[in-house]
Amino acid sequence: MATITSLVDTTTGTNQGKPGDTVQINGTALAATVRVNFGAATVAPTSVTSTQVIFVIPNTAPCSGQVSVSVTSNAGATSNALPFFVVAAPTTTGLSITCVPAATGGSVTLFGTNFLSGTQVGVGGVGNVTVAPTLPNQVSFTAPADLAQVATVVTHPVTITTGGGTSTSGTTLIDYYLAPTITSVLPTSGTALNQITINGTGFVGVDTVTFTDSAAATATAVFTPVSSTQLVATVPAGLALGLGSITVHNCGGDSNAQAFTIT
C-alpha cells in the first residue's frame, strides 16, 4: 500500500500553492501510482518513482482553501491523504499615496486582498521590494528611488507576489516625479501683490510656490500654472525688504532657490 509522507510545492517550498504549480509527493511504495486525487479532481502524474510522484495543480482546483491529496495505484488502491492549501491570488485596490520623489522613493502602504503569503512588491521597472505582510489587506514598503528617470513624471504599476501568484499589473499605479528647476524669474524684484513670471522645467503637479525674504521668513504665494515650463506667482505681503529667493515644489521635491529681491 502506498503511503504519502509529505507534499511540497516546488514554487513555495511548502504544502501551499496555486493552480499551475508543480507539487512533489514524497512517500513509500508509490511506483504503481496512476493518478493523483487532488480534492475532487483527478490528475495524471508527470513523474513517478517508488518514493516520489510529481504532478501539476490543475486549473480546476478551488480558488482557495484546503484540499486532500492522495494517490491511486493501477490496482485501484488509494493511499492515505494529506492536506494541501490552495492560496488565493492577491489583488490590489490602492495606495496610501499616489506619488513619490524619483530621487528618493518613499514609504507607501499598499491595500488589497490575500496578502498574507506575500514575498515581494514590484514597482514597474524600478525594482522589487521584499515584504512580509502581517495583515491580509495591506502591507507597507519603501518604494525604491529611480535615479535614471528622465521624464518629469513616470507612472509605474504596483503589484504584489504571494503564494497565490502576482496581482494584475496596471490596476494600482504610482507616479514618480522629478523635482522642478527654476531657470529665471521676471522681473527679478518686486513688491507685495506684484505678479512674477517664473520660468523653468518640470512644472508639473506644482503645489507650492514659496518666497523667502532677507530675514529667512517664508510665505506661500498664490500662483497660476501656465505650462510645464512657466507659471505666474503673486508676491506675498508681509515679507522683509531685500534679497531673498523663490522655490517651486511638486511631489518630486523643492526646486533650486532662485534669487528675488523684495522692494
Side-chain angles (χ1 to χ4, degrees):
M1 174 73 72
T3 300
I4 297 176
T5 56
S6 66
L7 305 171
V8 180
D9 184 297
T10 59
T11 298
T12 66
T14 68
N15 67 335
Q16 301 180 32
K18 65 184 185 302
D21 283 1
T22 297
V23 177
Q24 177 179 303
I25 301 175
N26 300 306
T28 58
L30 299 174
T33 297
V34 293
R35 74 170 186 262
V36 176
N37 308 301
F38 191 86
T42 58
V43 185
T46 59
S47 175
V48 175
T49 70
S50 61
T51 59
Q52 192 176 92
V53 173
I54 305 295
F55 75 98
V56 176
I57 300 174
N59 289 329
T60 55
C63 294
S64 63
Q66 179 179 315
V67 298
S68 294
V69 178
S70 62
V71 297
T72 299
S73 71
N74 53 13
T78 298
S79 71
N80 63 309
L82 290 182
F84 187 91
F85 298 87
V86 179
V87 182
T91 63
T92 62
T93 57
L95 299 166
S96 58
I97 57 175
T98 59
C99 61
V100 293
T104 61
S107 298
V108 184
T109 298
L110 174 65
F111 301 102
T113 62
N114 304 318
F115 283 4
L116 279 179
S117 62
T119 57
Q120 68 179 23
V121 169
V123 183
V126 183
N128 298 320
V129 180
T130 300
V131 294
T134 58
L135 295 172
N137 60 353
Q138 68 182 68
V139 62
S140 295
F141 67 98
T142 299
D146 186 3
L147 301 180
Q149 182 168 319
V150 175
T152 301
V153 183
V154 177
T155 301
H156 296 282
V158 179
T159 58
I160 184 169
T161 298
T162 72
T166 299
S167 61
T168 302
S169 178
T171 61
T172 300
L173 305 171
I174 191 167
D175 292 328
Y176 272 57
Y177 274 73
L178 295 181
T181 299
I182 300 176
T183 55
S184 66
V185 295
L186 296 173
T188 57
S189 63
T191 190
L193 304 183
N194 284 172
Q195 287 195 321
I196 306 299
T197 298
I198 304 173
N199 301 301
T201 60
F203 292 172
V204 178
V206 172
D207 52 22
T208 310
V209 175
T210 301
F211 282 70
T212 301
D213 67 16
S214 57
T218 61
T220 56
V222 175
F223 69 94
T224 301
V226 176
S227 68
S228 63
T229 60
Q230 189 176 84
L231 54 84
V232 175
T234 300
V235 180
L239 293 173
L241 302 183
L243 180 63
S245 63
I246 300 173
T247 57
V248 173
H249 180 275
N250 67 8
C251 190
D254 285 319
S255 71
N256 57 302
Q258 186 73 22
F260 183 80
T261 302
I262 306 292
T263 57

